[in-house]
Amino acid sequence: MRIGILGTGAMATALGGAWVRAGHDVLVGGRDRAAAAATAARTGAAKDGTLANAAAYGELVLAAVPAGVAPRLVNGLAAVLAGRAVVDCSNPVEPGDDGPTGGTTSVARLMADAAPDAHVVKAFNLCHDSIWTLPRPAFEGAPLAVPFCGDDADALDRVAALITSMGCTPMPCGGLSRAVHIEATAAFAIGVWRSGAEPRFAFPTSERA
């Protein structure tokens, strides 16, 4: 798969590296060309360029930028992103008196509104970037499940195939309206992890649920 990455930070590096290891063709784009080249080198990607280069490069584009930046960024690239699968991996998590809190509207929805002809998919937001540096993330004998959601069937198929290529299990969660719940899950899990507990212990197995 041809993949363009918008951004040069930790998630761009970790996911880009995972996708290069899985055999995908990755181009890293950034506002700072030197930073894009350095991130491409860290991931093993053969190509780097501008944000516009990355937006135009792939059948799938990752927006690996902070939640507050993502809608504005894709709006500026909306014409180029039209018809492409655009993955949002951000979390709008803010500190609160009782722990991390999320927003009432998902970043993915804001991105879809900002680039209405793109096919936005929410994915890869639940785990710390270090998890994506593992060759094939698995815990307690099971591959890591990756929740994702979106409204376009072809874009969802591409993301599911991408997740599978990383050695993980796709976990489809419905339409893009579900993105706000996936983001809220991240806020919940981060708060529980920070308290020293394990959020997975709050859920029974599917057979028992």
Side-chain angles (χ1 to χ4, degrees):
M1 195 180 302
R2 287 166 61 93
I3 302 171
I5 296 180
L6 306 174
T8 58
M11 285 295 283
T13 301
L15 285 170
W19 296 338
V20 169
R21 290 194 302 274
H24 300 291
D25 183 358
V26 175
L27 184 150
V28 178
R31 289 190 176 90
D32 183 326
R33 285 297 303 274
T39 298
R42 288 194 296 272
T43 65
K47 304 177 184 70
D48 63 87
T50 65
L51 292 170
N53 294 150
Y57 187 72
E59 56 205 273
L60 184 144
V61 178
L62 171 71
V65 296
V69 173
R72 185 170 66 253
L73 175 63
V74 299
N75 178 254
L77 297 166
V80 182
L81 294 172
R84 302 178 194 273
V86 179
V87 175
D88 167 36
C89 67
S90 69
N91 277 315
V93 176
E94 299 289 343
D97 293 338
D98 296 323
T101 60
T104 56
T105 301
S106 71
V107 177
R109 170 52 62 195
L110 295 174
M111 288 172 59
D113 291 344
D117 294 323
H119 305 306
V120 177
V121 177
K122 188 77 185 187
F124 302 108
N125 68 303
L126 289 189
C127 292
H128 188 268
D129 59 88
S130 62
I131 296 300
W132 308 119
T133 67
L134 301 175
R136 297 181 74 83
F139 302 93
E140 298 179 0
L144 178 69
V146 181
F148 65 106
C149 66
D151 291 336
D152 182 81
D154 287 342
L156 292 173
D157 286 346
R158 290 187 191 280
V159 172
L162 184 60
I163 292 167
T164 299
S165 75
M166 301 163 69
C168 298
T169 301
M171 182 182 283
C173 295
L176 199 63
S177 63
R178 305 294 293 174
V180 68
H181 302 301
I182 297 178
E183 292 179 357
T185 299
F188 165 75
I190 291 168
V192 173
W193 283 321
R194 286 182 178 171
S195 74
E198 289 290 348
R200 71 183 187 279
F201 294 153
F203 301 97
T205 61
S206 58
E207 295 83 3
R208 300 279 186 173

